[in-house]
Amino acid sequence: MSPQPNFPFFQGHSLSDLFAQDCLTHAQANEYALILNYPATAHWAAYPNTQKYLLQDGSSEATKTSFDKICQKEPWKNLAVLGDQLTGVVIMPPHKLLINYWRHTFGFRYANLASLDCAVYLDQINCSDRFKQIITLFPFDHLKPEKHAIDPDIHYRLLSKATLSELGVNCPRYQSYDLDRVRLDQIKFPQQFPYLIKTSHGLSGEGTYILRRPADLEYCLAELNKYRQIHLLQTIIVSEFVQHEVQNYCVQFYVNKQGDITLIGVTQQLVDSAGNYLGGWTDYSDDLNQFTDLIATIGRYAHQQGFFGVIGCDFLEDREGQLYAIDANFRINGSTPLCLQRHRLLKLGKAVAKYSSDYRMEGSLDAVLVNFKPELDRQDFLILSALEKAKFGKIYTEIYGIVTGESILELQQIEQKLYQKGLRVVG
């Protein structure tokens, strides 16, 4: 029996530090950049992904993932932990108050931002000699293939839920269907509930349907037909349902161009009854030994495919202790900024932390920063992203944030104090 590999933990606390080993040598300085936003298919998108690299971000214009999420809140969350080496492309810059707060909290200068007009940013990158290689969360139809740091065809295939069985680790049994070859009404779906139907490239939980009764199947088929009508779906996956789930993990690590693996962290994911992602929490003292062989197998596969970068693999654990890979995200993950706080927060004596993208506070960002100043100064609460909005004349701020504590009990007590001061979870 071969010994388990001993992967080191990543020692930095920024995305720049992570990618430095591959992208930021002296000869490569300023050649690489990270586009912080996903592509979209909505009418508001100047560069819709509707040609080759299809994604499922809503089956109708009314249900598409919103501009503020894709172009503001989500990219700002990663911008908070970008660091000062890797250039970040932003098409909607955050409030100066937020950047000043980040400078004080995370210690970065945030001088390495390329703020480009959202209407022309991909054309500017395509024509620019400044950026030769672009790291993306998802391939862009309108970004030249040679500009992608990862071959976009390879990246798209790796991001497909239909490739899960290729990773070499245990996963639920599933069958994939090419809808250009077989019609939905020709597929023999399981007679026994529950089971899952997934679209190949659903964004932020979109396109994953848990089927518990015939009515769920009717709704799912209606949604899939809508996607087909707007030409945004080619492949679906019909998967068995993992019974008796006790834990839902996201295991994150980095694979460099030489195939070496660095651990980033593991979160226990928080999801609602429909499977929608709500956030996650982590114990920074977790050594990830439980996942070592799985990480080695997935990392080896990724390297063989020509991938480098962050990988987050979602696992379900059943009551027998069996682990099932249910998704593999070959990109920066939603909770990556949470995991990157490991060493910084451990030095402050904070062993546990919880991330949520669904916080809300009445009032402006300035009011939020004033109201929570004691908690922010103690780093009991970290703000990764904040966007002011107004409804019926009232201003409120939507927040992606992290609550921290020495223990789960203290974290819960801090959450209660934040609630008493007006912080709400509205997912």
Side-chain angles (χ1 to χ4, degrees):
M1 183 176 179
S2 58
Q4 281 193 334
N6 183 24
F7 299 126
F9 260 100
F10 172 61
Q11 295 300 308
H13 66 283
S14 74
L15 295 172
S16 285
D17 294 336
L18 262 181
F19 283 95
Q21 57 194 298
D22 289 317
C23 304
L24 299 172
T25 64
H26 180 71
Q28 296 168 325
N30 298 322
E31 289 188 1
Y32 282 81
L34 168 64
I35 293 181
L36 290 153
N37 58 279
Y38 282 93
T41 67
H43 286 165
W44 53 257
Y47 301 97
N49 261 43
T50 55
Q51 299 173 5
K52 185 176 184 180
Y53 304 120
L54 306 180
L55 72 159
Q56 295 80 51
D57 59 350
S59 61
S60 66
E61 200 62 28
T63 60
K64 296 288 185 188
T65 307
S66 62
F67 176 88
D68 62 355
K69 180 173 182 178
I70 287 183
C71 300
Q72 295 174 291
K73 293 184 292 185
E74 289 283 341
W76 295 348
K77 168 201 65 183
N78 291 329
L79 179 56
V81 297
L82 178 64
D84 288 326
Q85 298 167 277
L86 185 64
T87 297
V89 175
V90 289
I91 59 176
M92 291 295 291
H95 200 297
K96 290 182 179 179
L97 282 174
L98 185 59
I99 294 179
N100 288 336
Y101 159 76
W102 288 340
R103 287 189 178 119
H104 174 75
T105 302
F106 299 111
F108 305 128
R109 299 189 307 274
Y110 301 96
N112 53 323
L113 308 183
S115 184
L116 305 180
D117 189 314
C118 62
V120 295
Y121 74 107
L122 290 184
D123 284 328
Q124 287 182 312
I125 293 172
N126 283 333
C127 297
S128 172
D129 292 330
R130 177 184 176 190
F131 304 125
K132 293 182 172 61
Q133 295 283 273
I134 307 297
I135 300 164
T136 66
L137 304 176
F138 195 95
F140 285 80
D141 275 349
H142 299 275
L143 181 66
K144 291 179 179 178
E146 61 269 23
K147 287 282 188 175
H148 287 80
I150 306 297
D151 182 293
D153 290 344
I154 292 174
H155 197 189
Y156 188 66
R157 186 174 61 81
L158 290 173
L159 288 168
S160 172
K161 293 175 176 59
T163 63
L164 192 63
S165 61
E166 296 181 12
L167 301 183
V169 299
N170 187 47
C171 65
R173 294 187 302 273
Y174 69 88
Q175 178 68 48
S176 60
Y177 297 92
D178 183 340
L179 300 182
D180 288 344
R181 297 183 178 183
V182 58
R183 299 196 314 268
L184 279 169
D185 59 10
Q186 295 175 321
I187 298 173
K188 293 183 178 179
F189 293 104
Q191 296 296 307
Q192 189 73 30
F193 295 98
Y195 61 95
L196 290 92
I197 296 178
K198 303 179 181 181
T199 63
S200 60
H201 293 86
L203 180 64
S204 299
E206 171 64 27
T208 295
Y209 307 93
I210 302 175
L211 309 178
R212 303 182 187 275
R213 58 190 68 83
D216 295 335
L217 178 58
E218 291 179 16
Y219 172 79
C220 173
L221 292 177
E223 288 293 294
L224 298 179
N225 276 313
K226 289 179 185 177
Y227 272 119
R228 289 293 288 169
Q229 290 166 9
I230 57 177
H231 309 292
L232 286 181
L233 178 62
Q234 181 177 355
T235 303
I236 65 166
I237 296 90
V238 180
S239 171
E240 74 170 326
F241 185 84
V242 176
Q243 302 280 3
H244 312 302
E245 171 199 335
V246 295
Q247 296 290 355
N248 184 337
Y249 300 103
C250 180
V251 179
Q252 298 186 46
F253 53 98
Y254 186 96
V255 179
N256 70 13
K257 290 181 178 179
Q258 286 71 46
D260 301 323
I261 292 172
T262 308
L263 303 179
I264 301 174
V266 59
T267 62
Q268 294 192 36
Q269 302 201 96
L270 304 174
V271 297
D272 63 18
S273 59
N276 297 312
Y277 178 70
L278 301 176
W281 72 276
T282 188
D283 181 342
Y284 291 121
S285 64
D286 195 317
D287 57 18
L288 273 68
N289 284 344
Q290 177 184 6
F291 307 101
T292 298
D293 288 341
L294 301 171
I295 292 170
T297 301
I298 297 169
R300 188 181 313 116
Y301 170 80
H303 178 61
Q304 290 169 349
Q305 303 304 307
F307 178 85
F308 74 92
V310 179
I311 300 174
C313 194
D314 297 341
F315 291 94
L316 294 183
E317 182 180 8
D318 67 17
R319 64 188 182 188
E320 306 300 325
Q322 181 68 51
L323 290 169
Y324 297 84
I326 59 168
D327 202 3
N329 298 309
F330 290 79
R331 55 168 171 75
I332 297 166
N333 283 237
S335 57
T336 302
L338 170 69
C339 293
L340 289 177
Q341 304 310 304
R342 182 177 190 268
H343 299 291
R344 210 174 61 79
L345 290 178
L346 282 175
K347 288 179 181 178
L348 297 174
K350 297 175 178 295
V352 295
K354 177 182 175 182
Y355 160 74
S356 176
S357 57
D358 294 308
Y359 291 123
R360 180 183 290 186
M361 176 79 184
E362 289 188 6
S364 65
L365 174 58
D366 185 45
V368 169
L369 295 174
V370 171
N371 190 45
F372 292 133
K373 189 176 187 305
E375 290 79 12
L376 296 173
D377 287 346
R378 291 193 302 268
Q379 302 204 23
D380 293 341
F381 186 45
L382 304 174
I383 296 176
L384 296 172
S385 183
L387 178 64
E388 291 181 355
K389 289 188 171 182
K391 187 174 184 179
F392 304 127
K394 291 186 177 181
I395 296 173
Y396 62 94
T397 302
E398 294 182 343
I399 300 169
Y400 287 27
I402 297 172
V403 181
T404 71
E406 295 181 6
S407 63
I408 292 178
L409 177 60
E410 185 188 56
L411 186 149
Q412 291 171 336
Q413 292 171 341
I414 291 171
E415 279 187 312
Q416 183 60 32
K417 290 179 181 177
L418 293 170
Y419 178 85
Q420 291 170 352
K421 297 181 76 169
L423 190 68
R424 297 290 183 267
V425 177
V426 295

